[in-house]
């Protein structure tokens, strides 16, 4: 039996990666890292500093200098941990529509990706980690023991994101969410550096007809039988 140490979990926006990644990490006693949070934090830092998102060198500098930290949750409002940017709790701010509007553009910049990839590899070097993102199995951790690509149709993902926002007490409009997911998918999968795609050796799961519990149980079975 192989020993599992590193899990890479990729997929498009709102495919359920974060829920699944967090549950898997808890089940295995592993660290959980959602790399989307890092790209969102860079975007927020850029907006907060009044940097033009189209000014690539300035955005890259902000990414390289960003002071980002993760702490255990300070309150029970649905967060899995506190996201601290330059000493400020920005856990929900990184989920704002302003950040959502620019995060995919910021994530196309090679310098931004290099800075994030270096940090992600450093964190993963300690092992026992579930890392979630778009390019984890393909670029960041190509030697991961288990690679999962979690997919779902854009309509199902939009429904899930809609429900998530409503449950959080935020305003949400299905048609806007749907078109925004399509927009982000398009940028994420067509960028030159580290585009969103399944690694050739990834286990691809289409979760259109599976809920979070079913996907989790399916993976637990695979882990128990192969590792
Ligand atoms: O939560 P959601 O699935 O909507 O997105 P996220 O995982 O928080 O990622 C936000 C954005 O960051 C994505 O749309 C990508 O543009 C970018 N991202 C990336 O380029 N590479 C990653 N490893 C993770 C996120």
């Amino acid at each position: 039996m192989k020993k599992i140490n590193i899990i890479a979990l990729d997929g498009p926006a709102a495919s359920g990666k974060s829920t699944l990644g967090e549950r898997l990490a808890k089940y295995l006693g592993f660290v959980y890292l959602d790399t989307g949070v890092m790209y969102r934090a860079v975007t927020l830092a850029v907006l907060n500093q009044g940097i033009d998102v189209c000014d690539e060198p300035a955005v890259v500098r902000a990414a390289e200098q960003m002071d980002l930290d993760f702490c255990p949750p300070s309150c029970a409002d649905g967060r899995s941990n506190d996201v601290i940017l330059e000493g400020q709790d920005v856990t929900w701010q990184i989920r704002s529509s302003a950040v959502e509007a620019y995060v995919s553009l910021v994530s196309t910049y090679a310098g931004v990706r290099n800075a994030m990839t270096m940090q992600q590899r450093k964190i993963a070097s300690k092992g026992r980690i579930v890392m979630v993102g778009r390019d984890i199995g393909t670029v960041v951790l190509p030697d991961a023991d288990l690679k999962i690509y979690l997919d779902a149709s854009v309509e199902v993902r939009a429904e899930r994101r809609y429900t998530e926002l409503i449950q959080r007490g935020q305003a949400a409009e299905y048609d806007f969410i749907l078109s925004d997911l399509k927009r982000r998918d398009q940028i994420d999968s067509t960028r030159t550096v580290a585009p969103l795609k399944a690694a050739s050796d990834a286990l691809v799961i289409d979760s259109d007809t599976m809920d979070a519990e079913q996907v989790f149980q399916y993976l637990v079975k695979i882990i128990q039988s192969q590792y």
Side-chain angles (χ1 to χ4, degrees):
M1 208 144 114
K2 283 183 281 177
K3 200 163 181 272
I4 195 165
N5 191 34
I6 292 183
I7 299 181
L9 174 49
D10 292 299
S15 56
K17 306 178 300 287
S18 313
T19 312
L20 178 65
E22 214 180 326
R23 258 193 101 179
L24 268 186
K26 212 170 257 171
Y27 169 77
L28 295 164
F30 282 16
V31 166
Y32 165 68
L33 181 69
D34 179 357
T35 59
V37 167
M38 299 171 75
Y39 289 95
R40 285 172 180 271
V42 174
T43 309
L44 181 63
V46 163
L47 295 176
N48 284 349
Q49 290 169 43
I51 295 168
D52 176 358
V53 287
C54 297
D55 183 350
E56 185 169 344
V59 172
V60 171
R61 258 196 313 279
E64 288 168 346
Q65 290 165 2
M66 176 174 72
D67 174 19
L68 181 68
D69 221 343
F70 299 96
C71 298
S74 58
C75 55
D77 60 356
R79 64 181 67 197
S80 50
N81 48 29
D82 286 6
V83 181
I84 309 292
L85 176 66
E86 317 295 342
Q88 300 288 317
D89 181 348
V90 296
T91 309
W92 295 122
Q93 247 176 297
I94 58 164
R95 307 271 159 203
S96 68
S97 51
V99 168
E100 213 121 276
Y102 297 112
V103 63
S104 284
L105 170 65
V106 164
S107 304
T108 61
Y109 298 149
V112 171
R113 304 208 69 84
N114 278 341
M116 296 306 109
T117 299
M118 266 163 34
Q119 289 188 31
Q120 290 156 9
R121 287 186 181 146
K122 195 169 161 208
I123 296 169
S125 65
K126 297 185 187 111
R128 297 178 62 82
I129 189 164
V130 178
M131 196 178 285
V132 172
R134 302 285 188 289
D135 58 342
I136 311 304
T138 50
V139 174
V140 180
L141 305 170
D143 296 328
D145 304 301
L146 174 62
K147 297 182 188 179
I148 305 152
Y149 186 87
L150 188 60
D151 211 349
S153 69
V154 71
E155 289 79 12
V156 167
R157 289 187 281 124
E159 257 171 53
R160 289 182 188 156
R161 183 52 51 93
Y162 175 82
T163 309
E164 188 186 319
L165 291 173
I166 295 292
Q167 277 172 354
R168 221 188 279 147
Q170 276 177 242
E173 210 235 299
Y174 176 83
D175 289 340
F176 174 77
I177 295 172
L178 180 65
S179 65
D180 202 54
L181 286 184
K182 285 182 182 167
R183 179 188 66 83
R184 271 205 290 145
D185 282 357
Q186 164 73 10
I187 303 177
D188 292 348
S189 53
T190 56
R191 68 183 172 220
T192 343
V193 191
L196 163 71
K197 66 171 180 206
S200 56
D201 51 351
L203 171 70
V204 179
I205 303 174
D206 182 342
S207 73
D208 258 11
T209 56
M210 292 164 98
D211 63 21
E213 178 63 24
Q214 287 170 318
V215 176
F216 174 70
Q217 293 302 341
Y218 172 71
L219 273 170
V220 165
K221 268 200 199 114
I222 287 174
I223 290 170
Q224 285 172 344
S225 66
Q226 293 187 11
Y227 296 90

